[in-house]
Amino acid sequence: MNQVNWSNKDYQNGLIFISNYEDKAASKTIIATDKDVTLILPSGLPIYGVGFYGIFMLAPIVLFMITITYFIFVILTANSLEVQIQMLLSAGGFFLFWALTKAFKLLISSRELFPMKYFSTLGPHGIASHYSKLHFPGHSRVVIEWDQIDSIRTFSSFFLPGLFAGILKTFFVEVISKNATVLKIPFHSTDEQALRISQNIVDLIHQKMTH
């Protein structure tokens, strides 16, 4: 079975499992299915599928967030305003941004508008990531067979989808193949939990590689 076939099969199995066990998928990062496929979900991050109605409802919030960010920058760099006024206006701007972040999170919690469709799979043949080019422009859909993995590392960094929800630090497990192909697995959690989740993902990958 070639890479495209087995990665698509693992992905479809993942979609079916998520649709049947949505509550379980919403609360966990690592999920073992009954099809010998393990799903690694981008838990804590606003990474979901979106249709026309979702975009229509989400667009004004994103626009207002960008506008407020711009005005905060203008206010803080304006030399003509007194410091007290700058601080007052900036505080108001940050409060509005925080409120819009809450509204953003509430809206994307609707699985009818924003279904779970982006995740990574660990199957019998290899590991595959299933993301949009907007998430990872250079390597959104990457497939690496188990015997082709060269190295694995974990790190944290900013991630644009997370920034829209006020998440400043996203954790990644990065898998690099022998031909330098890069596969990234993102998730968000507390620092203490992230260390445990990252290690669990790495351990699962090593187990799959040795089988």
Side-chain angles (χ1 to χ4, degrees), residues 87-103:
M87 296 299 295
L88 181 62
L89 293 176
S90 297
F94 282 117
F95 176 79
L96 289 175
F97 189 89
W98 173 82
L100 287 171
T101 298
K102 294 295 183 181

Side-chain angles (χ1 to χ4, degrees), residues 10-66:
D10 290 350
Y11 178 66
Q12 293 303 320
N13 287 334
L15 286 178
I16 294 172
F17 187 89
I18 287 173
S19 65
N20 292 333
Y21 301 94
E22 187 172 306
D23 292 340
K24 185 177 181 179
S27 60
K28 292 189 175 182
T29 302
I30 304 172
I31 299 178
T33 73
D34 54 0
K35 299 291 185 180
D36 197 23
V37 176
T38 301
L39 312 181
I40 312 295
L41 303 175
S43 59
L45 294 170
I47 300 180
Y48 303 103
V50 57
F52 172 77
Y53 291 108
I55 293 175
F56 182 78
M57 297 180 69
L58 197 62
I61 296 178
V62 175
L63 179 61
F64 281 130
M65 292 175 73
I66 294 174

Side-chain angles (χ1 to χ4, degrees), residues 135-162:
H135 303 140
F136 299 111
H139 40 265
S140 57
R141 296 183 180 274
V142 180
V143 178
I144 304 176
E145 296 180 351
W146 294 125
D147 61 356
Q148 294 301 309
I149 292 178
D150 182 61
S151 62
I152 307 170
R153 73 182 184 112
T154 61
F155 65 96
S156 62
S157 180
F158 71 90
F159 188 40
L160 185 58

Side-chain angles (χ1 to χ4, degrees), residues 5 7 25 57 70-71 75 83 98 120 122 134 155 161 188 193:
N5 288 340
S7 64
M57 297 180 69
Y70 171 75
F71 277 111
I75 290 168
V83 175
W98 173 82
S120 300
L122 282 64
L134 295 176
F155 65 96
H188 173 67
Q193 291 178 333

Side-chain angles (χ1 to χ4, degrees), residues 145-147 149-150 152 204-211:
E145 296 180 351
W146 294 125
D147 61 356
I149 292 178
D150 182 61
I152 307 170
L204 280 171
I205 294 173
H206 282 305
Q207 290 174 15
K208 294 285 188 178
M209 289 173 62
T210 56
H211 283 173

